[in-house]
């Protein structure tokens, strides 16, 4: 059933880039010194920005009426990691716990999951700058409907360890607002350049924010449709990448349960 549905899935808009040209023509705008420092470390290896980055934004998909023949799937518990798949024909995706405005705070002093991912994958900031420059909708929601974004082939150029690290002078870690208060020495101590960079595929979906009390039935339905649409889009892109049969692996976590205050 899932294979049949992905055959009819067409992006709202899409674009492809040579990564070097994207970053050169639309450099990321870092609005905080520590973010700029991370970018300097990410570029310090001298390894070139290269490869093809593919962007697509996808329309809301209605849930199928018949769930009697669901596609097979499995769930593996573990840590959100960027390890490359070891099986053939596997395409791995990493969820971006997005705002409805795509990567809107990437250059700010914040370092929640969305901003952390963009700092480690700086071409994501360049992508936002490109979309804005072309008057394209840099969003993951439109008119109250989910429009998930997929991005393939983006370099992960550094790793930021946000966990508590007394040895680096960060006993409480540098996640969230703590990042803005960190010294240059602390940022350097927890940021490592990757050479060569690894390659990631990103699925940006926005959870509801600002709610209070018990979820309504409509809120729960909207959450399910958002995830369903995003996962379906990832499956479609996996098939495109592999030019046929593929296995889609989606790395996620407690989506919407951090800064957005979800349950």
């Amino acid at each position: 059933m899932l294979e049949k549905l992905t055959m009819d899935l067409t992006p709202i808009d899409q674009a492809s880039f040579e990564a070097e040209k994207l970053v050169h023509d639309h450099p990321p705008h870092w609005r905080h010194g520590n973010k700029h420092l991370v970018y300097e470390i990410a570029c310090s290896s001298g390894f070139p920005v290269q490869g093809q980055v593919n962007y697509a934004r996808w329309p809301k998909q209605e849930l199928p009426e018949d769930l009697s023949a669901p596609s097979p799937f499995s769930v593996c518990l573990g840590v959100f990691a960027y390890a490359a798949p070891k099986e053939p024909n596997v395409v791995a995706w990493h969820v971006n716990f997005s705002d409805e405005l795509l990567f809107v705070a990437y250059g700010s002093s914040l370092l929640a999951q969305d901003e952390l991912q963009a700092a480690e994958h700086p071409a994501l900031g360049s992508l936002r700058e490109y979309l804005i420059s072309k008057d394209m909708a840099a969003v993951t929601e439109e008119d109250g409907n989910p429009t998930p974004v997929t991005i393939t082939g983006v370099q992960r150029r550094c790793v930021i360890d946000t966990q508590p690290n007394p040895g680096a002078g960060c006993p409480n870690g540098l996640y969230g607002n703590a990042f803005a208060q960190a010294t240059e020495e602390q940022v350097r101590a927890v940021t490592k350049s990757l050479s060569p960079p690894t390659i990631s595929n990103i699925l940006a979906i926005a959870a509801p924010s600002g709610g209070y009390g018990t979820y309504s039935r409509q809120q729960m339905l909207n959450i399910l449709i958002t995830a369903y649409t995003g996962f379906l889009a990832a499956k479609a892109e996996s098939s495109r990448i592999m030019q046929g049969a593929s296995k889609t692996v989606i790395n996620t976590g407690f989506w919407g349960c951090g800064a957005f205050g979800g349950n």
Side-chain angles (χ1 to χ4, degrees):
M1 181 177 64
L2 191 60
E3 296 289 353
K4 179 178 182 298
L5 289 170
T6 55
M7 290 175 61
D8 302 323
L9 192 59
T10 302
I12 298 169
D13 47 42
Q14 56 187 328
S16 295
F17 315 90
E18 290 300 322
E20 182 181 16
K21 181 172 175 57
L22 172 65
V23 173
H24 177 270
D25 293 349
H26 304 277
H29 295 165
W30 308 109
R31 304 192 302 275
H32 190 272
N34 283 347
K35 286 286 179 67
H36 195 274
L37 176 58
V38 168
Y39 187 56
E40 288 181 354
I41 296 171
C43 298
S44 65
S45 70
F47 197 94
V49 177
Q50 60 186 24
Q52 180 170 300
V53 176
N54 295 290
Y55 158 86
R57 187 165 67 95
W58 303 85
K60 170 187 173 182
Q61 299 296 298
E62 298 298 334
L63 298 175
E65 295 182 3
D66 181 11
L67 296 176
S68 60
S71 297
F73 73 94
S74 60
V75 176
C76 298
L77 299 181
V79 178
F80 190 99
Y82 287 91
K86 296 181 180 179
E87 302 174 53
N89 297 326
V90 170
V91 181
W93 294 84
H94 291 82
V95 172
N96 175 269
F97 299 172
S98 182
D99 188 86
E100 62 182 270
L101 301 176
L102 182 67
F103 308 134
V104 63
Y106 82 88
S108 73
S109 63
L110 296 175
L111 198 71
Q113 193 270 351
D114 183 352
E115 297 81 31
L116 172 60
Q117 191 173 70
E120 294 183 340
H121 301 78
L124 297 179
S126 293
L127 173 61
R128 176 173 175 80
E129 300 302 331
Y130 167 85
L131 295 173
I132 292 172
S133 73
K134 300 298 182 182
D135 292 325
M136 296 173 68
V139 298
T140 60
E141 293 181 3
E142 194 167 32
D143 298 327
N145 294 314
T147 57
V149 167
T150 57
I151 305 157
T152 64
V154 63
Q155 287 182 336
R156 186 183 186 220
R157 296 192 61 92
C158 69
V159 177
I160 307 171
D161 183 1
T162 62
Q163 296 300 308
N165 187 342
C170 310
N172 298 314
L174 293 187
Y175 190 79
N177 292 322
F179 177 79
Q181 307 302 321
T183 65
E184 177 178 340
E185 291 73 20
Q186 289 171 328
V187 173
R188 289 189 181 279
V190 301
T191 306
K192 176 185 176 183
S193 176
L194 289 176
S195 185
T198 57
I199 303 297
S200 300
N201 303 310
I202 307 298
L203 169 61
I205 51 177
S209 63
Y212 180 80
T214 304
Y215 285 101
S216 69
R217 184 182 188 279
Q218 189 59 48
Q219 285 176 318
M220 295 176 70
L221 183 61
N222 289 343
I223 291 167
L224 178 59
I225 289 173
T226 299
Y228 174 75
T229 301
F231 288 16
L232 202 65
K235 176 60 181 172
E237 281 292 88
S238 297
S239 296
R240 179 191 64 79
I241 291 170
M242 289 298 176
Q243 299 182 345
S246 63
K247 179 180 178 181
T248 303
V249 174
I250 297 176
N251 296 272
T252 185
F254 294 128
W255 167 57
C257 298
F260 278 18
N263 186 328

